[in-house]
Amino acid sequence: GQSLEQPSEVTAVEGAIVQINCTYQTSGFYGLSWYQQHDGGAPTFLSYNALDGLEETGRFSSFLSRSDSYGYLLLQELQMKDSASYFCAVTQGGKLIFGQGTELSVKP
Amino acid sequence: GAVVSQHPSWVICKSGTSVKIECRSLDFQATTMFWYRQFPKQSLMLMATSNEGSKATYEQGVEKDKFLINHASLTLSTLTVTSAHPEDSSFYICSARNSNQPQHFGDGTRLSIL
């Protein structure tokens, strides 16, 4: 089986930095992805890590440690529009298995 | 690029009717399409995986006779919720990918059964 754990909610203020952690247990692993989903919308791909280390894309960065079965999404210079749900997902057997999601609230 | 169109975006219908949802890849050939269901404040749950020209592979607990999936071409997959009941009300999302490329998601269909 597989399971992913991430915090259910996080609150931060505009301009701050926030880190959303994700730990996973899977029988097979090909990579960790992060998706953003605004209320009522579709998931939007943010980043993907297949190998250990940090991937940076603008204000968003993602980190993976395969030995620790752990990754995180780092959001810098938070903006109000970043308020959304963030999901980590593992690629397994060609399928995406999603975590339960972290609801990020950005306050003024 | 990599646009996935899902239609309809919103549907309300009476209990007992069947509802068809379409998922189209507009600018690439989708060798594989996925169907997810999402209840409010919950995660995306994979329902089934379909490869063009093959029968869909359903996840455990998903009734294949209830949720009919057709993937007849490289750009179109359909999900039909048969004899829908209020408990089938949910947000249904498709995604598509070409070979080992990342999945691209449609905008979802909000289904409400009265």
mmCIF file of all heavy atoms in Angstrom, chain B residues 16-59:
data_model
loop_
_atom_site.group_PDB
_atom_site.id
_atom_site.type_symbol
_atom_site.label_atom_id
_atom_site.label_comp_id
_atom_site.label_asym_id
_atom_site.label_seq_id
_atom_site.Cartn_x
_atom_site.Cartn_y
_atom_site.Cartn_z
ATOM 1 N N GLY B 16 -31.318 8.873 -10.668
ATOM 2 C CA GLY B 16 -31.711 7.826 -11.601
ATOM 3 C C GLY B 16 -31.279 8.073 -13.031
ATOM 4 O O GLY B 16 -31.285 7.152 -13.856
ATOM 5 N N THR B 17 -30.887 9.291 -13.336
ATOM 6 C CA THR B 17 -30.440 9.580 -14.705
ATOM 7 C C THR B 17 -28.959 9.248 -14.851
ATOM 8 O O THR B 17 -28.238 9.079 -13.865
ATOM 9 C CB THR B 17 -30.668 11.050 -15.078
ATOM 10 O OG1 THR B 17 -29.959 11.879 -14.137
ATOM 11 C CG2 THR B 17 -32.136 11.391 -15.039
ATOM 12 N N SER B 18 -28.525 9.148 -16.111
ATOM 13 C CA SER B 18 -27.110 8.908 -16.400
ATOM 14 C C SER B 18 -26.471 10.186 -16.914
ATOM 15 O O SER B 18 -27.104 10.960 -17.623
ATOM 16 C CB SER B 18 -26.978 7.798 -17.439
ATOM 17 O OG SER B 18 -27.410 6.561 -16.901
ATOM 18 N N VAL B 19 -25.248 10.395 -16.540
ATOM 19 C CA VAL B 19 -24.543 11.628 -16.898
ATOM 20 C C VAL B 19 -23.224 11.273 -17.566
ATOM 21 O O VAL B 19 -22.472 10.444 -17.051
ATOM 22 C CB VAL B 19 -24.252 12.468 -15.632
ATOM 23 C CG1 VAL B 19 -23.477 13.730 -15.991
ATOM 24 C CG2 VAL B 19 -25.545 12.812 -14.908
ATOM 25 N N LYS B 20 -22.963 11.910 -18.695
ATOM 26 C CA LYS B 20 -21.717 11.666 -19.412
ATOM 27 C C LYS B 20 -20.820 12.884 -19.307
ATOM 28 O O LYS B 20 -21.243 14.014 -19.561
ATOM 29 C CB LYS B 20 -21.979 11.356 -20.883
ATOM 30 C CG LYS B 20 -20.681 11.093 -21.686
ATOM 31 C CD LYS B 20 -20.935 10.893 -23.166
ATOM 32 C CE LYS B 20 -21.457 9.518 -23.473
ATOM 33 N NZ LYS B 20 -21.493 9.253 -24.937
ATOM 34 N N ILE B 21 -19.558 12.647 -18.970
ATOM 35 C CA ILE B 21 -18.560 13.713 -18.868
ATOM 36 C C ILE B 21 -17.475 13.437 -19.897
ATOM 37 O O ILE B 21 -16.994 12.302 -20.011
ATOM 38 C CB ILE B 21 -17.947 13.759 -17.459
ATOM 39 C CG1 ILE B 21 -19.040 13.956 -16.399
ATOM 40 C CG2 ILE B 21 -16.901 14.869 -17.354
ATOM 41 C CD1 ILE B 21 -18.555 13.764 -14.979
ATOM 42 N N GLU B 22 -17.101 14.462 -20.641
ATOM 43 C CA GLU B 22 -16.074 14.310 -21.676
ATOM 44 C C GLU B 22 -14.765 14.943 -21.255
ATOM 45 O O GLU B 22 -14.736 15.987 -20.599
ATOM 46 C CB GLU B 22 -16.530 14.971 -22.983
ATOM 47 C CG GLU B 22 -17.679 14.285 -23.660
ATOM 48 C CD GLU B 22 -17.956 14.889 -25.029
ATOM 49 O OE1 GLU B 22 -17.369 15.937 -25.351
ATOM 50 O OE2 GLU B 22 -18.759 14.304 -25.769
ATOM 51 N N CYS B 23 -13.692 14.318 -21.659
ATOM 52 C CA CYS B 23 -12.351 14.829 -21.399
ATOM 53 C C CYS B 23 -11.570 14.773 -22.699
ATOM 54 O O CYS B 23 -11.423 13.693 -23.300
ATOM 55 C CB CYS B 23 -11.670 13.962 -20.333
ATOM 56 S SG CYS B 23 -10.007 14.483 -19.876
ATOM 57 N N ARG B 24 -11.106 15.926 -23.149
ATOM 58 C CA ARG B 24 -10.388 16.006 -24.415
ATOM 59 C C ARG B 24 -9.010 16.624 -24.236
ATOM 60 O O ARG B 24 -8.855 17.627 -23.540
ATOM 61 C CB ARG B 24 -11.158 16.867 -25.426
ATOM 62 C CG ARG B 24 -12.479 16.306 -25.872
ATOM 63 C CD ARG B 24 -13.179 17.216 -26.864
ATOM 64 N NE ARG B 24 -14.502 16.710 -27.207
ATOM 65 C CZ ARG B 24 -14.739 15.861 -28.187
ATOM 66 N NH1 ARG B 24 -13.739 15.424 -28.939
ATOM 67 N NH2 ARG B 24 -15.968 15.442 -28.437
ATOM 68 N N SER B 25 -8.024 16.021 -24.870
ATOM 69 C CA SER B 25 -6.707 16.648 -24.953
ATOM 70 C C SER B 25 -6.698 17.433 -26.255
ATOM 71 O O SER B 25 -6.932 16.881 -27.325
ATOM 72 C CB SER B 25 -5.597 15.593 -24.946
ATOM 73 O OG SER B 25 -5.771 14.663 -25.981
ATOM 74 N N LEU B 26 -6.471 18.744 -26.154
ATOM 75 C CA LEU B 26 -6.658 19.623 -27.307
ATOM 76 C C LEU B 26 -5.423 19.737 -28.189
ATOM 77 O O LEU B 26 -5.543 19.977 -29.388
ATOM 78 C CB LEU B 26 -7.087 21.011 -26.837
ATOM 79 C CG LEU B 26 -8.407 21.070 -26.072
ATOM 80 C CD1 LEU B 26 -8.781 22.516 -25.776
ATOM 81 C CD2 LEU B 26 -9.523 20.380 -26.851
ATOM 82 N N ASP B 27 -4.244 19.607 -27.621
ATOM 83 C CA ASP B 27 -3.054 19.855 -28.421
ATOM 84 C C ASP B 27 -1.995 18.772 -28.262
ATOM 85 O O ASP B 27 -0.818 19.000 -28.583
ATOM 86 C CB ASP B 27 -2.459 21.225 -28.096
ATOM 87 C CG ASP B 27 -2.197 21.403 -26.609
ATOM 88 O OD1 ASP B 27 -2.493 20.468 -25.834
ATOM 89 O OD2 ASP B 27 -1.685 22.463 -26.225
ATOM 90 N N PHE B 28 -2.401 17.612 -27.800
ATOM 91 C CA PHE B 28 -1.467 16.499 -27.739
ATOM 92 C C PHE B 28 -2.256 15.196 -27.745
ATOM 93 O O PHE B 28 -3.466 15.180 -27.486
ATOM 94 C CB PHE B 28 -0.563 16.579 -26.493
ATOM 95 C CG PHE B 28 -1.285 16.376 -25.173
ATOM 96 C CD1 PHE B 28 -1.241 15.159 -24.517
ATOM 97 C CD2 PHE B 28 -1.991 17.423 -24.590
ATOM 98 C CE1 PHE B 28 -1.888 14.982 -23.301
ATOM 99 C CE2 PHE B 28 -2.644 17.258 -23.384
ATOM 100 C CZ PHE B 28 -2.591 16.042 -22.735
ATOM 101 N N GLN B 29 -1.582 14.124 -28.052
ATOM 102 C CA GLN B 29 -2.224 12.822 -28.059
ATOM 103 C C GLN B 29 -2.090 12.181 -26.689
ATOM 104 O O GLN B 29 -0.983 12.031 -26.167
ATOM 105 C CB GLN B 29 -1.590 11.931 -29.131
ATOM 106 C CG GLN B 29 -1.873 12.427 -30.537
ATOM 107 C CD GLN B 29 -1.391 11.438 -31.588
ATOM 108 O OE1 GLN B 29 -0.392 10.762 -31.390
ATOM 109 N NE2 GLN B 29 -2.111 11.354 -32.692
ATOM 110 N N ALA B 30 -3.225 11.852 -26.109
ATOM 111 C CA ALA B 30 -3.249 11.305 -24.753
ATOM 112 C C ALA B 30 -3.292 9.787 -24.813
ATOM 113 O O ALA B 30 -4.333 9.195 -25.032
ATOM 114 C CB ALA B 30 -4.444 11.847 -23.992
ATOM 115 N N THR B 31 -2.147 9.174 -24.603
ATOM 116 C CA THR B 31 -2.120 7.714 -24.611
ATOM 117 C C THR B 31 -2.808 7.151 -23.363
ATOM 118 O O THR B 31 -3.345 6.048 -23.384
ATOM 119 C CB THR B 31 -0.671 7.201 -24.658
ATOM 120 O OG1 THR B 31 0.078 7.843 -23.605
ATOM 121 C CG2 THR B 31 -0.027 7.541 -25.995
ATOM 122 N N THR B 32 -2.795 7.939 -22.293
ATOM 123 C CA THR B 32 -3.420 7.516 -21.047
ATOM 124 C C THR B 32 -4.245 8.656 -20.470
ATOM 125 O O THR B 32 -3.789 9.802 -20.468
ATOM 126 C CB THR B 32 -2.368 7.084 -20.004
ATOM 127 O OG1 THR B 32 -1.500 6.121 -20.575
ATOM 128 C CG2 THR B 32 -3.038 6.481 -18.767
ATOM 129 N N MET B 33 -5.423 8.323 -20.003
ATOM 130 C CA MET B 33 -6.259 9.306 -19.316
ATOM 131 C C MET B 33 -6.668 8.736 -17.962
ATOM 132 O O MET B 33 -6.803 7.517 -17.805
ATOM 133 C CB MET B 33 -7.487 9.670 -20.141
ATOM 134 C CG MET B 33 -7.160 10.566 -21.338
ATOM 135 S SD MET B 33 -8.643 11.108 -22.191
ATOM 136 C CE MET B 33 -7.985 12.388 -23.245
ATOM 137 N N PHE B 34 -6.825 9.623 -17.011
ATOM 138 C CA PHE B 34 -7.165 9.232 -15.646
ATOM 139 C C PHE B 34 -8.438 9.958 -15.212
ATOM 140 O O PHE B 34 -8.656 11.112 -15.579
ATOM 141 C CB PHE B 34 -6.031 9.605 -14.677
ATOM 142 C CG PHE B 34 -4.691 9.013 -15.033
ATOM 143 C CD1 PHE B 34 -3.849 9.670 -15.919
ATOM 144 C CD2 PHE B 34 -4.268 7.820 -14.474
ATOM 145 C CE1 PHE B 34 -2.603 9.144 -16.249
ATOM 146 C CE2 PHE B 34 -3.022 7.289 -14.790
ATOM 147 C CZ PHE B 34 -2.192 7.951 -15.683
ATOM 148 N N TRP B 35 -9.225 9.286 -14.405
ATOM 149 C CA TRP B 35 -10.423 9.909 -13.847
ATOM 150 C C TRP B 35 -10.323 9.885 -12.327
ATOM 151 O O TRP B 35 -10.035 8.843 -11.726
ATOM 152 C CB TRP B 35 -11.684 9.180 -14.301
ATOM 153 C CG TRP B 35 -11.987 9.428 -15.743
ATOM 154 C CD1 TRP B 35 -11.638 8.668 -16.814
ATOM 155 C CD2 TRP B 35 -12.695 10.555 -16.276
ATOM 156 N NE1 TRP B 35 -12.090 9.236 -17.975
ATOM 157 C CE2 TRP B 35 -12.739 10.397 -17.679
ATOM 158 C CE3 TRP B 35 -13.308 11.672 -15.701
ATOM 159 C CZ2 TRP B 35 -13.364 11.321 -18.521
ATOM 160 C CZ3 TRP B 35 -13.929 12.592 -16.535
ATOM 161 C CH2 TRP B 35 -13.958 12.416 -17.931
ATOM 162 N N TYR B 36 -10.571 11.061 -11.733
ATOM 163 C CA TYR B 36 -10.504 11.225 -10.287
ATOM 164 C C TYR B 36 -11.847 11.732 -9.773
ATOM 165 O O TYR B 36 -12.608 12.369 -10.486
ATOM 166 C CB TYR B 36 -9.438 12.264 -9.898
ATOM 167 C CG TYR B 36 -8.018 11.909 -10.274
ATOM 168 C CD1 TYR B 36 -7.534 12.173 -11.546
ATOM 169 C CD2 TYR B 36 -7.153 11.347 -9.337
ATOM 170 C CE1 TYR B 36 -6.220 11.869 -11.884
ATOM 171 C CE2 TYR B 36 -5.833 11.044 -9.666
ATOM 172 C CZ TYR B 36 -5.388 11.309 -10.947
ATOM 173 O OH TYR B 36 -4.074 11.013 -11.270
ATOM 174 N N ARG B 37 -12.072 11.453 -8.500
ATOM 175 C CA ARG B 37 -13.241 12.020 -7.820
ATOM 176 C C ARG B 37 -12.729 12.739 -6.570
ATOM 177 O O ARG B 37 -11.812 12.246 -5.894
ATOM 178 C CB ARG B 37 -14.225 10.912 -7.447
ATOM 179 C CG ARG B 37 -15.461 11.396 -6.728
ATOM 180 C CD ARG B 37 -16.517 10.314 -6.663
ATOM 181 N NE ARG B 37 -16.019 9.092 -6.080
ATOM 182 C CZ ARG B 37 -16.730 7.975 -5.970
ATOM 183 N NH1 ARG B 37 -17.966 7.942 -6.417
ATOM 184 N NH2 ARG B 37 -16.211 6.907 -5.421
ATOM 185 N N GLN B 38 -13.320 13.875 -6.281
ATOM 186 C CA GLN B 38 -12.887 14.650 -5.122
ATOM 187 C C GLN B 38 -14.099 15.164 -4.367
ATOM 188 O O GLN B 38 -14.903 15.913 -4.922
ATOM 189 C CB GLN B 38 -11.996 15.822 -5.563
ATOM 190 C CG GLN B 38 -11.395 16.601 -4.399
ATOM 191 C CD GLN B 38 -10.502 17.738 -4.872
ATOM 192 O OE1 GLN B 38 -10.755 18.360 -5.897
ATOM 193 N NE2 GLN B 38 -9.445 18.019 -4.118
ATOM 194 N N PHE B 39 -14.210 14.774 -3.105
ATOM 195 C CA PHE B 39 -15.256 15.303 -2.238
ATOM 196 C C PHE B 39 -14.721 16.562 -1.560
ATOM 197 O O PHE B 39 -13.504 16.762 -1.462
ATOM 198 C CB PHE B 39 -15.681 14.249 -1.218
ATOM 199 C CG PHE B 39 -16.394 13.081 -1.837
ATOM 200 C CD1 PHE B 39 -15.778 11.854 -1.988
ATOM 201 C CD2 PHE B 39 -17.699 13.216 -2.316
ATOM 202 C CE1 PHE B 39 -16.426 10.775 -2.572
ATOM 203 C CE2 PHE B 39 -18.354 12.148 -2.919
ATOM 204 C CZ PHE B 39 -17.714 10.925 -3.042
ATOM 205 N N PRO B 40 -15.622 17.432 -1.091
ATOM 206 C CA PRO B 40 -15.191 18.710 -0.500
ATOM 207 C C PRO B 40 -14.143 18.538 0.589
ATOM 208 O O PRO B 40 -14.275 17.668 1.454
ATOM 209 C CB PRO B 40 -16.494 19.293 0.056
ATOM 210 C CG PRO B 40 -17.557 18.701 -0.802
ATOM 211 C CD PRO B 40 -17.091 17.318 -1.119
ATOM 212 N N LYS B 41 -13.127 19.337 0.525
ATOM 213 C CA LYS B 41 -12.037 19.360 1.515
ATOM 214 C C LYS B 41 -11.282 18.036 1.593
ATOM 215 O O LYS B 41 -10.631 17.767 2.597
ATOM 216 C CB LYS B 41 -12.594 19.711 2.909
ATOM 217 C CG LYS B 41 -13.323 21.033 2.975
ATOM 218 C CD LYS B 41 -12.400 22.191 2.720
ATOM 219 C CE LYS B 41 -13.127 23.522 2.892
ATOM 220 N NZ LYS B 41 -12.243 24.664 2.550
ATOM 221 N N GLN B 42 -11.369 17.242 0.545
ATOM 222 C CA GLN B 42 -10.641 15.975 0.547
ATOM 223 C C GLN B 42 -9.695 15.897 -0.638
ATOM 224 O O GLN B 42 -9.643 16.794 -1.478
ATOM 225 C CB GLN B 42 -11.621 14.800 0.531
ATOM 226 C CG GLN B 42 -12.447 14.688 1.800
ATOM 227 C CD GLN B 42 -13.245 13.400 1.846
ATOM 228 O OE1 GLN B 42 -12.897 12.405 1.219
ATOM 229 N NE2 GLN B 42 -14.322 13.416 2.624
ATOM 230 N N SER B 43 -8.951 14.810 -0.679
ATOM 231 C CA SER B 43 -7.950 14.648 -1.726
ATOM 232 C C SER B 43 -8.584 14.131 -3.015
ATOM 233 O O SER B 43 -9.759 13.780 -3.055
ATOM 234 C CB SER B 43 -6.888 13.658 -1.247
ATOM 235 O OG SER B 43 -5.843 13.561 -2.177
ATOM 236 N N LEU B 44 -7.790 14.111 -4.059
ATOM 237 C CA LEU B 44 -8.223 13.508 -5.319
ATOM 238 C C LEU B 44 -8.037 11.995 -5.200
ATOM 239 O O LEU B 44 -6.937 11.517 -4.905
ATOM 240 C CB LEU B 44 -7.386 14.012 -6.487
ATOM 241 C CG LEU B 44 -7.647 15.420 -6.972
ATOM 242 C CD1 LEU B 44 -6.924 16.450 -6.120
ATOM 243 C CD2 LEU B 44 -7.205 15.567 -8.429
ATOM 244 N N MET B 45 -9.119 11.280 -5.450
ATOM 245 C CA MET B 45 -9.057 9.828 -5.389
ATOM 246 C C MET B 45 -9.123 9.277 -6.810
ATOM 247 O O MET B 45 -10.090 9.534 -7.529
ATOM 248 C CB MET B 45 -10.208 9.274 -4.554
ATOM 249 C CG MET B 45 -10.188 9.739 -3.111
ATOM 250 S SD MET B 45 -8.662 9.306 -2.256
ATOM 251 C CE MET B 45 -8.745 7.520 -2.323
ATOM 252 N N LEU B 46 -8.112 8.532 -7.198
ATOM 253 C CA LEU B 46 -8.098 7.954 -8.532
ATOM 254 C C LEU B 46 -9.190 6.902 -8.645
ATOM 255 O O LEU B 46 -9.301 6.012 -7.796
ATOM 256 C CB LEU B 46 -6.730 7.325 -8.812
ATOM 257 C CG LEU B 46 -6.550 6.678 -10.177
ATOM 258 C CD1 LEU B 46 -6.648 7.717 -11.292
ATOM 259 C CD2 LEU B 46 -5.209 5.954 -10.249
ATOM 260 N N MET B 47 -9.994 7.035 -9.695
ATOM 261 C CA MET B 47 -11.064 6.067 -9.932
ATOM 262 C C MET B 47 -10.615 5.007 -10.930
ATOM 263 O O MET B 47 -10.853 3.820 -10.726
ATOM 264 C CB MET B 47 -12.301 6.770 -10.492
ATOM 265 C CG MET B 47 -12.904 7.819 -9.575
ATOM 266 S SD MET B 47 -14.245 8.693 -10.379
ATOM 267 C CE MET B 47 -15.471 7.394 -10.529
ATOM 268 N N ALA B 48 -10.011 5.462 -12.012
ATOM 269 C CA ALA B 48 -9.653 4.516 -13.068
ATOM 270 C C ALA B 48 -8.616 5.123 -14.000
ATOM 271 O O ALA B 48 -8.472 6.342 -14.095
ATOM 272 C CB ALA B 48 -10.895 4.117 -13.863
ATOM 273 N N THR B 49 -7.928 4.238 -14.673
ATOM 274 C CA THR B 49 -6.924 4.599 -15.675
ATOM 275 C C THR B 49 -7.356 4.006 -17.003
ATOM 276 O O THR B 49 -7.730 2.821 -17.054
ATOM 277 C CB THR B 49 -5.551 4.014 -15.296
ATOM 278 O OG1 THR B 49 -5.185 4.477 -14.005
ATOM 279 C CG2 THR B 49 -4.492 4.415 -16.311
ATOM 280 N N SER B 50 -7.345 4.806 -18.056
ATOM 281 C CA SER B 50 -7.729 4.252 -19.348
ATOM 282 C C SER B 50 -6.656 4.518 -20.386
ATOM 283 O O SER B 50 -6.117 5.621 -20.466
ATOM 284 C CB SER B 50 -9.071 4.821 -19.803
ATOM 285 O OG SER B 50 -8.969 6.156 -20.222
ATOM 286 N N ASN B 51 -6.343 3.504 -21.134
ATOM 287 C CA ASN B 51 -5.425 3.617 -22.253
ATOM 288 C C ASN B 51 -6.227 3.513 -23.541
ATOM 289 O O ASN B 51 -7.173 2.729 -23.625
ATOM 290 C CB ASN B 51 -4.368 2.512 -22.205
ATOM 291 C CG ASN B 51 -3.453 2.681 -21.015
ATOM 292 O OD1 ASN B 51 -2.725 3.662 -20.912
ATOM 293 N ND2 ASN B 51 -3.494 1.739 -20.098
ATOM 294 N N GLU B 52 -5.863 4.300 -24.517
ATOM 295 C CA GLU B 52 -6.599 4.359 -25.765
ATOM 296 C C GLU B 52 -6.755 2.974 -26.367
ATOM 297 O O GLU B 52 -5.766 2.234 -26.508
ATOM 298 C CB GLU B 52 -5.885 5.306 -26.742
ATOM 299 C CG GLU B 52 -6.614 5.527 -28.045
ATOM 300 C CD GLU B 52 -6.110 4.633 -29.155
ATOM 301 O OE1 GLU B 52 -4.973 4.136 -29.050
ATOM 302 O OE2 GLU B 52 -6.857 4.430 -30.131
ATOM 303 N N GLY B 53 -8.006 2.636 -26.661
ATOM 304 C CA GLY B 53 -8.290 1.372 -27.305
ATOM 305 C C GLY B 53 -8.368 0.179 -26.378
ATOM 306 O O GLY B 53 -8.622 -0.943 -26.827
ATOM 307 N N SER B 54 -8.146 0.391 -25.090
ATOM 308 C CA SER B 54 -8.205 -0.711 -24.128
ATOM 309 C C SER B 54 -9.288 -0.472 -23.090
ATOM 310 O O SER B 54 -9.768 0.646 -22.928
ATOM 311 C CB SER B 54 -6.869 -0.855 -23.398
ATOM 312 O OG SER B 54 -5.815 -1.021 -24.282
ATOM 313 N N LYS B 55 -9.612 -1.531 -22.380
ATOM 314 C CA LYS B 55 -10.569 -1.369 -21.277
ATOM 315 C C LYS B 55 -9.890 -0.626 -20.136
ATOM 316 O O LYS B 55 -8.691 -0.776 -19.895
ATOM 317 C CB LYS B 55 -11.031 -2.741 -20.784
ATOM 318 C CG LYS B 55 -11.986 -3.446 -21.717
ATOM 319 C CD LYS B 55 -12.489 -4.746 -21.082
ATOM 320 C CE LYS B 55 -13.480 -5.437 -22.006
ATOM 321 N NZ LYS B 55 -13.966 -6.710 -21.417
ATOM 322 N N ALA B 56 -10.689 0.133 -19.423
ATOM 323 C CA ALA B 56 -10.148 0.897 -18.304
ATOM 324 C C ALA B 56 -9.791 -0.032 -17.142
ATOM 325 O O ALA B 56 -10.399 -1.079 -16.951
ATOM 326 C CB ALA B 56 -11.165 1.941 -17.850
ATOM 327 N N THR B 57 -8.800 0.386 -16.386
ATOM 328 C CA THR B 57 -8.414 -0.316 -15.164
ATOM 329 C C THR B 57 -8.949 0.462 -13.983
ATOM 330 O O THR B 57 -8.563 1.613 -13.766
ATOM 331 C CB THR B 57 -6.882 -0.425 -15.065
ATOM 332 O OG1 THR B 57 -6.384 -1.093 -16.216
ATOM 333 C CG2 THR B 57 -6.491 -1.194 -13.813
ATOM 334 N N TYR B 58 -9.825 -0.157 -13.215
ATOM 335 C CA TYR B 58 -10.481 0.530 -12.110
ATOM 336 C C TYR B 58 -9.738 0.296 -10.799
ATOM 337 O O TYR B 58 -9.198 -0.787 -10.562
ATOM 338 C CB TYR B 58 -11.926 0.046 -11.968
ATOM 339 C CG TYR B 58 -12.820 0.492 -13.100
ATOM 340 C CD1 TYR B 58 -12.820 -0.160 -14.329
ATOM 341 C CD2 TYR B 58 -13.668 1.588 -12.938
ATOM 342 C CE1 TYR B 58 -13.628 0.267 -15.365
ATOM 343 C CE2 TYR B 58 -14.493 2.020 -13.967
ATOM 344 C CZ TYR B 58 -14.462 1.352 -15.179
ATOM 345 O OH TYR B 58 -15.259 1.790 -16.202
ATOM 346 N N GLU B 59 -9.741 1.310 -9.958
ATOM 347 C CA GLU B 59 -9.154 1.175 -8.629
ATOM 348 C C GLU B 59 -10.096 0.363 -7.741
ATOM 349 O O GLU B 59 -11.308 0.263 -7.997
ATOM 350 C CB GLU B 59 -8.901 2.550 -8.010
ATOM 351 C CG GLU B 59 -7.865 3.368 -8.751
ATOM 352 C CD GLU B 59 -6.502 2.712 -8.780
ATOM 353 O OE1 GLU B 59 -5.940 2.411 -7.694
ATOM 354 O OE2 GLU B 59 -5.974 2.491 -9.894
#
